[in-house]
Amino acid sequence: MSEIVMYSTAWCGYCQRARNLLERKGAAFREIKVDEVPGEREVMLQKSNGRRTVPQIFIGERHVGGYDDLAALDRAGELDKLLAQLPK
């Protein structure tokens, strides 16, 4: 998987913050709304080792975690490095 995938819900404020951050970075991502697509919450739980909260963000093969984790990567300068490794 060489893309960004974000599991989210339509009403989640942290999901909106993650969307905004990724959009500011110019990063294309695929969003899967677990409240709208049957079975995707279970897929998210398996991929994230049981984390139930949204968003759950994956960059390539790496499970980043939620918005706070994404923002921490950005503050540390690591997010740009991860994004640069993805195919354009």
Side-chain angles (χ1 to χ4, degrees):
M1 174 174 64
S2 59
E3 65 178 341
I4 301 170
V5 176
M6 179 171 73
Y7 290 88
S8 67
T9 60
W11 46 267
C12 166
Y14 286 103
C15 298
Q16 185 59 51
R17 290 178 182 165
R19 276 185 215 103
N20 291 344
L21 177 54
L22 290 170
E23 287 170 0
R24 277 195 313 272
K25 294 288 182 180
F29 59 95
R30 182 166 60 98
E31 187 169 356
I32 300 170
K33 294 188 177 177
V34 298
D35 56 340
E36 296 177 4
V37 182
E40 287 298 333
R41 185 174 294 276
E42 288 74 26
V43 172
M44 179 190 81
L45 286 168
Q46 288 179 343
K47 289 176 69 176
S48 66
N49 293 317
R51 290 183 72 176
R52 305 186 70 74
T53 59
V54 289
Q56 289 300 318
I57 303 160
F58 296 83
I59 299 177
E61 297 296 325
R62 180 174 174 172
H63 176 222
V64 171
Y67 169 73
D68 290 339
D69 303 305
L70 184 69
L73 280 176
D74 188 37
R75 285 190 303 274
E78 296 298 316
L79 181 57
D80 290 332
K81 292 176 188 175
L82 278 176
L83 296 177
Q85 294 174 5
L86 296 175
K88 300 287 179 192

